[in-house]
């Protein structure tokens, strides 16, 4: 699949996959930013993309940033609809309670996954079919 991309900052590389077969490609920061402990910030990536109808983009945290620095994404996964044409931004949060986190322009901050999505039609009914699980959720199978 090919996706059109508009670069808002020519000094940043086009998103790329770190390894052949990876699901997510790296998104980079367009700015320098300090995120204080417990705070969040919207980090621009310097790219706009044209996702085809029937697909969506999902922005996921980087596991290394999460493990080593406590950096995650507030609304993970972030959703990019197929008709959105603005700059992709990532809402990062610093879960570290004592250390600020410094992002430098060009740092890898998240991963982008493009997936096929279905559009559904909802049919209102009085009852749903019975299943073994039923209404069990939120830890109903144990910890």
């Amino acid at each position: 699949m090919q996706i059109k991309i508009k670069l808002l900052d020519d000094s940043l590389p086009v998103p790329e996959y770190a390894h052949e077969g990876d699901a997510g490609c790296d998104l980079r920061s367009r700015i320098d930013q300090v995120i204080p402990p417990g705070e969040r910030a919207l980090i621009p990536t310097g790219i706009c993309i044209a996702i085809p109808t029937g697909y969506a983009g999902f922005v996921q945290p980087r596991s290394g940033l999460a493990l080593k620095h406590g950096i995650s994404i507030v609304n993970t996964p972030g959703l990019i609809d197929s008709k959105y044409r603005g700059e992709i931004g990532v809402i990062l949060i610093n879960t570290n309670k004592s250390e600020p986190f410094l992002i430098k322009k060009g740092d890898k901050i998240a991963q982008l996954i493009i997936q096929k999505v279905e559009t559904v039609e909802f049919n209102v009914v009085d009852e749903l079919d019975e299943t073994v699980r039923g209404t069990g959720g939120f830890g109903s199978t144990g910890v």
Side-chain angles (χ1 to χ4, degrees), residues 3-82:
I3 290 187
K4 294 178 182 176
I5 185 169
K6 179 179 178 182
L7 300 177
L8 303 177
D9 185 332
D10 291 338
S11 71
L12 295 174
V14 172
E16 58 190 0
Y17 296 90
H19 304 284
E20 185 177 337
D22 282 357
C25 62
D26 293 319
L27 294 177
R28 296 175 183 266
S29 174
R30 184 168 58 91
I31 61 172
D32 292 340
Q33 176 78 43
V34 174
I35 306 176
E39 298 292 319
R40 62 189 177 272
L42 177 60
I43 309 299
T45 63
I47 63 167
C48 304
I49 59 176
I51 299 172
T53 299
Y55 292 83
F58 297 92
V59 179
Q60 302 277 359
R62 291 181 50 84
S63 57
L65 288 180
L67 177 64
K68 295 174 185 174
H69 304 285
I71 300 301
S72 191
I73 297 176
V74 176
N75 63 323
T76 186
L79 172 62
I80 305 167
D81 288 311
S82 63

